[in-house]
Amino acid sequence: MQPSFKFDSTLSRGLLDVLIKAGLIAALVIFSFQVFEPFKELMIWSVILAVTLYPLQCWLKTRTGLKDGYVATLIVLFVLLVLIAPIYLLAINAGDSIDKVVALLKSDTLSIPPPPESVAAWPLIGPRLYEVWLKASGGLSDVAQHLLPYLKGSGRVLLGAAASAGGAFLLFISAVIISGIIMAFGETGTRAAERIANRVAGADRGKSMAVLCTATIRAVAQGVIGIAFIQMLLIGVGFVVKGVPGAGILAVAILILGIAQAPATLITIPVIAYVFSTEGFTAATIAFAIYSFVAGLSDNVLKPLLLGRGVDVPMPVVLIGAIGGMVVKGIIGLFIGPVILAVAYNLFWQWVDQQGPDSTSESPK
């Protein structure tokens, strides 16, 4: 009986040691995550930007012969210069547009024609719409007073969205700077990523997994988010130069539509119609219409050039990532969501395709 007791005692001590070590490791991991959690979105943004811009750094380094740190600094300064100035102008224009709308409503000079009698016969919404429209035709002040309780709630939502957009913009600027630091140590980071992938997936699959993640990040960032940014800047600058009311807000709407894979012509065509109706057919309005229409279709040219590189990501995955990311993380999730979901999607199908030799199923990608 004594040997059995000694065996049980040794087993208990071994199990106790394992539990203590596991508990300490779990506590260390939890505490480390809590410390890192405030910087999680910033670091995700930084890594996405660094992976996307690193080929540009390699190209510039080869052409100029400069060190990695200098090249990364030049890229960061260029990105900040290209992005901050137009986005700042759009933001200022959006604020001015809101002020003009508020002033117009306060002045009560906006006249609305009375509704046709046929509106009241519309099913479901007809009577209510006719009543509100009729009040608005007599003066917007009464309607605004009636809708004031609803407008307060909408105002809080809009202020929250504006604050989220401002925070996302500051986060993006910080991420650009940190991505430059990451690119300055690009070769070391590449080796570290391959070592981590080898540890997770094994030496035979680790490198291919790291290459897949890199290609997916670049494909989505360039082919979806990059194209949406380019379209927003092209169309938004045209709206600002032409003096279109609410140009900044419309440019943000174009950015959201671009990430959601919806055509920008949903915005440009009504704006062109508005400009023609208010200013007539002149050389300036015709030139604006041609520029806006062509800029709205620019994604059809850019997508085959940028999205076709790397890997194929189905558009529903991008759309779900954009909408789900915005629901979970606000404006910043609108950009990060498609990238993360696309990486997860491709890793999942790589895992599915790495079945045994008897597997004959093909990936639906």
Side-chain angles (χ1 to χ4, degrees):
M1 296 298 293
Q2 187 174 1
S4 176
F5 174 77
K6 183 180 293 187
F7 176 77
D8 293 340
S9 178
T10 303
L11 180 62
S12 299
R13 286 198 299 270
L15 181 60
L16 182 62
D17 289 343
V18 171
L19 292 176
I20 291 175
K21 291 177 181 178
L24 292 175
I25 292 174
L28 179 62
V29 170
I30 293 173
F31 180 73
S32 299
F33 178 78
Q34 290 176 345
V35 173
F36 176 76
E37 204 273 337
F39 307 95
K40 179 179 60 177
E41 296 175 3
L42 175 62
M43 295 308 300
I44 292 176
W45 249 125
S46 302
V47 171
I48 291 173
L49 290 173
V51 171
T52 304
L53 297 174
Y54 188 65
L56 176 61
Q57 170 162 326
C58 295
W59 184 83
L60 289 177
K61 181 182 177 181
T62 303
R63 297 298 187 276
T64 61
L66 297 174
K67 294 182 179 180
D68 288 331
Y70 296 122
V71 176
T73 302
L74 291 176
I75 293 176
V76 168
L77 293 177
F78 176 76
V79 171
L80 293 178
L81 180 63
V82 168
L83 292 181
I84 288 180
I87 292 177
Y88 174 77
L89 292 176
L90 293 176
I92 294 298
N93 183 267
D96 293 340
S97 301
I98 294 175
D99 291 339
K100 290 179 181 178
V101 171
V102 173
L104 184 62
L105 291 176
K106 288 183 177 179
S107 64
D108 202 18
T109 58
L110 182 63
S111 60
I112 298 177
E117 295 293 337
S118 59
V119 174
W122 290 358
L124 299 179
I125 63 172
R128 183 62 177 169
L129 178 61
Y130 180 83
E131 180 184 353
V132 174
W133 192 344
L134 187 61
K135 288 183 178 179
S137 64
L140 291 178
S141 57
D142 295 337
V143 178
Q145 193 73 22
H146 178 71
L147 297 177
L148 187 59
Y150 307 100
L151 294 176
K152 288 182 178 179
S154 302
R156 286 193 291 266
V157 173
L158 291 176
L159 288 176
S164 178
F169 179 70
L170 294 178
L171 186 66
F172 179 76
I173 298 301
S174 303
V176 170
I177 297 174
I178 296 177
S179 68
I181 300 174
I182 296 175
M183 287 189 294
F185 300 92
E187 296 181 0
T188 304
T190 301
R191 290 194 297 268
E194 292 181 355
R195 289 174 57 193
I196 295 173
N198 289 337
R199 181 61 177 167
V200 172
D204 55 337
R205 300 176 180 176
K207 186 174 182 179
S208 62
M209 186 177 76
V211 171
L212 177 65
C213 293
T214 301
T216 304
I217 291 174
R218 287 175 183 163
V220 176
Q222 295 175 1
V224 177
I225 300 175
I227 291 175
F229 262 112
I230 293 174
Q231 251 191 337
M232 179 196 72
L233 295 178
L234 289 175
I235 300 175
V237 169
F239 286 178
V240 171
V241 172
K242 192 65 183 71
V244 175
I249 299 175
L250 294 174
V252 174
I254 290 171
L255 175 64
I256 296 174
L257 289 176
I259 296 176
Q261 301 302 298
T265 51
L266 294 175
I267 301 293
T268 57
I269 291 178
V271 170
I272 292 172
Y274 167 79
V275 170
F276 279 142
S277 65
T278 55
E279 301 184 17
F281 289 86
T282 63
T285 56
I286 293 175
F288 168 77
I290 295 174
Y291 172 81
S292 300
F293 186 75
V294 172
L297 297 177
S298 61
D299 59 329
N300 296 317
V301 178
L302 295 174
K303 281 180 181 178
L305 297 176
L306 299 179
L307 191 57
R309 299 178 180 179
V311 293
D312 182 20
V313 181
M315 287 302 104
V317 174
V318 177
L319 178 60
I320 293 173
I323 297 176
M326 186 170 62
V327 171
V328 175
K329 289 295 182 181
I331 298 296
I332 192 69
L334 180 68
F335 305 97
I336 298 178
V339 178
I340 295 178
L341 195 61
V343 171
Y345 173 85
N346 281 304
L347 287 177
F348 171 76
W349 282 112
Q350 186 191 50
W351 172 77
V352 170
D353 292 339
Q354 289 174 348
Q355 298 290 329
D358 296 334
S359 177
T360 58
S361 61
E362 296 183 356
S363 168
K365 294 185 292 181

